[in-house]
Amino acid sequence: ELKVEQNPLFLSMQEGKNYTIYCNYSTTSDRLYWYRQDPGKSLESLFVLLSNGAVKQEGRLMASLDTKARLSTLHITAAVHDLSATYFCAVHVDSNYQLIWGAGTKLIIKP
Amino acid sequence: DTGVSQDPRHKITKRGQNVTFRCDPISEHNRLYWYRQTLGQGPEFLTYFQNEAQLEKSRLLSDRFSAERPKGSFSTLEIQRTEQGDSAMYLCASSLVSRLRGANVLTFGAGSRLTVL
């Protein structure tokens, strides 16, 4: 059974600091997605990583994918309060493009 | 097209009642998904449609749950004889899947929150 594990599940940090969220998955895949969810809101697509070594950046967020290690990272640079949200990774592993989701990382950034 | 619409946004019902949720996907998308999300958890897959065909159902989808997508447009998710454990956010998402694209980026609706008393 495919498992997608995120860590940490909860992270509280100060503005201006850097941190990394990790997403490990248990089977071969070369498609990984990051989503953001604000409290009480729905999920918003952030990044799609489609190959080994893929790196995507948007503002203070940068995502990367290492398919050999079955690992994706979401790096936050010089965090700001507006980035407070829950971040989910999802992996698609079959020809039907079905997604398996991690449990999410709740990020709180204190001003 | 303003995105994925879900209705109602909130539903409070008594145990044993039936409820129905509606989802209007992005019109050019060929896939429609239903997920359930409880507090502090990621989305749990329930079912999905490719056009009008229901292609997969999760074991979470007991016989009290039924989903339809007539004519490959909007979809409904009905829960019969609701139980307190059904209380959750029900999320609908749509996507355009093709071999040329090689990815499946879901656009989610705002969700329908169900509270069963």
Side-chain angles (χ1 to χ4, degrees):
Chain A
E1 179 186 352
L2 170 65
K3 292 185 179 179
V4 179
E5 296 183 344
Q6 290 184 234
N7 73 83
L9 298 181
F10 179 80
L11 177 58
S12 178
M13 56 194 290
Q14 297 289 330
E15 277 192 325
K17 299 292 187 181
N18 303 334
Y19 210 79
T20 300
I21 299 170
Y22 298 90
C23 174
N24 289 89
Y25 52 97
S26 62
T27 193
T28 302
S29 175
D30 59 0
R31 301 282 189 272
L32 192 136
Y33 308 78
W34 284 97
Y35 285 79
R36 168 183 172 147
Q37 186 174 36
D38 291 298
K41 302 289 180 63
S42 194
L43 291 93
E44 173 189 357
S45 176
L46 290 175
F47 299 111
V48 182
L49 302 169
L50 298 179
S51 61
N52 186 40
V55 178
K56 294 279 185 72
Q57 183 163 5
E58 179 74 30
R60 301 173 187 274
L61 299 178
M62 183 173 72
S64 66
L65 178 61
D66 181 342
T67 59
K68 294 179 181 177
R70 299 178 185 173
L71 171 68
S72 179
T73 60
L74 181 65
H75 187 73
I76 304 147
T77 302
V80 293
H81 179 65
D82 287 351
L83 291 178
S84 296
T86 299
Y87 293 86
F88 292 93
C89 64
V91 176
H92 113 222
V93 294
D94 60 26
S95 59
N96 287 326
Y97 299 88
Q98 269 291 51
L99 297 181
I100 308 298
W101 294 79
T105 296
K106 184 173 183 177
L107 177 62
I108 295 177
I109 300 170
K110 300 176 183 178
Chain B
D1 195 341
T2 56
V4 179
S5 300
Q6 290 189 247
D7 183 71
R9 294 291 308 280
H10 304 275
K11 179 72 176 178
I12 300 174
T13 192
K14 293 182 180 179
R15 190 175 54 188
Q17 298 294 305
N18 299 344
V19 296
T20 299
F21 302 115
R22 175 179 170 128
C23 173
D24 288 89
I26 294 174
S27 56
E28 60 265 28
H29 285 181
N30 54 4
R31 286 219 177 162
L32 186 149
Y33 294 79
W34 286 101
Y35 286 90
R36 181 173 69 186
Q37 188 179 28
T38 53
L39 196 62
Q41 299 297 315
E44 294 177 294
F45 169 76
L46 295 178
T47 189
Y48 86 95
F49 295 82
Q50 176 117 347
N51 301 311
E52 67 275 10
Q54 188 172 18
L55 294 187
E56 189 171 340
K57 294 192 290 186
S58 164
R59 64 182 182 277
L60 294 174
L61 212 65
S62 75
D63 57 6
R64 296 185 297 105
F65 289 70
S66 62
E68 295 182 345
R69 191 183 184 196
K71 301 179 183 178
S73 55
F74 71 92
S75 176
T76 58
L77 177 68
E78 181 182 18
I79 308 173
Q80 295 182 327
R81 305 182 303 281
T82 52
E83 301 172 356
Q84 287 185 324
D86 296 333
S87 296
M89 176 75 86
Y90 290 85
L91 296 170
C92 176
S94 68
S95 67
L96 178 62
V97 172
S98 71
R99 296 199 182 280
L100 286 177
R101 287 168 55 90
N104 185 16
V105 180
L106 274 61
T107 300
F108 282 85
S112 293
R113 182 169 295 283
L114 174 64
T115 302
V116 182
L117 303 176

